[in-house]
């Protein structure tokens, strides 16, 4: 049997896998910190629920990635301190993120996360790491759909230019 056969957890991680897992953990740690701050700025109850769910997901990703790293002898990045809750009214209106801004930012984060997960899945040779990022990809896809639907319902979505006049199809 070769070095890359048998139980994937017994296989060494290659540098790309190490980087992908380390970056996923580090990015999730940053997301928890930012999303906790956005919770302080958020006024919409549905958006707060999405932020809470995103924070829970990020904390799970941190835990799973950090275990994978430490089990392979790699030190994960330090975790940032929890942000204290602040009353919405205590943040001046001009300094406060608006709900549509928060929705757009977390939608973009989710989209970027999909690309990162796809890249990690594509470069993984350990099946367990590829499957881990496939799981995260699926979850981010569901969050993206949820955010899109909410942004449409609440009138927050700013669509790109729409094609109103379509060219006539040419039949040969």
């Amino acid at each position: 049997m070769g070095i890359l056969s048998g139980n994937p957890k017994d296989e060494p991680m290659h540098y790309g896998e190490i980087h992908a897992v380390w970056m996923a953990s580090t990015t999730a740690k940053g997301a928890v910190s930012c999303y906790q701050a956005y919770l302080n700025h958020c006024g919409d109850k549905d958006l707060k629920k999405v932020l809470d769910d995103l924070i829970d997901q990020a904390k799970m990703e941190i835990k799973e990635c950090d275990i994978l790293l430490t089990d392979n002898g790699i030190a994960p990045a330090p975790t940032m301190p929890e942000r204290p809750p602040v009353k919405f009214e205590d943040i001046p209106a001009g300094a406060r993120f608006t709900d549509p801004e928060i929705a757009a930012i977390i939608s973009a984060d989710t989209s970027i996360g999909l690309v990162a997960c796809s890249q990690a899945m594509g470069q993984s040779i350990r099946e367990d790491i590829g499957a881990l990022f496939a799981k995260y990809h699926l979850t981010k896809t569901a969050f993206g759909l949820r955010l899109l639907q909410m942004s449409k319902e609440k009138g927050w979505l700013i669509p790109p230019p729409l094609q109103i006049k379509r060219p006539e199809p040419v039949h040969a």
Side-chain angles (χ1 to χ4, degrees), residues 3 28 35 40 43 50 52 55 58 61 72 78-79 106 121 123 128 155-156 162 169-170:
I3 191 169
Y35 295 172
N40 292 331
V50 172
D52 282 330
I55 290 168
E61 291 176 16
N72 284 276
T79 303
I106 63 177
M121 288 165 27
Q123 74 182 7
D128 61 327
W156 297 341
L162 302 174
V170 177

Side-chain angles (χ1 to χ4, degrees), residues 122-149:
Q123 74 182 7
S124 293
I125 59 175
R126 276 185 46 174
E127 294 92 344
D128 61 327
I129 294 174
L132 183 69
F133 282 101
K135 179 178 79 169
Y136 297 161
H137 192 280
L138 185 60
T139 303
K140 290 177 190 316
T141 301
F143 274 118
L145 178 60
R146 188 172 161 194
L147 286 160
L148 175 62
Q149 290 170 336

Side-chain angles (χ1 to χ4, degrees), residues 58-123:
K59 286 180 177 180
M60 185 198 66
E61 291 176 16
I62 292 164
K63 181 179 178 187
E64 291 176 345
C65 289
D66 285 359
I67 288 171
L68 186 55
L69 290 169
T70 54
D71 285 353
N72 284 276
I74 298 137
T79 303
M80 297 177 195
E82 294 276 323
R83 287 190 182 258
V86 175
K87 289 182 183 173
F88 178 79
E89 301 80 24
D90 290 344
I91 303 171
R96 192 181 316 140
F97 284 107
T98 65
D99 292 339
E101 287 174 316
I102 295 168
I105 291 166
I106 63 177
S107 293
D109 285 352
T110 301
S111 176
I112 292 165
L114 284 169
V115 174
C117 287
S118 294
Q119 184 177 9
M121 288 165 27
Q123 74 182 7

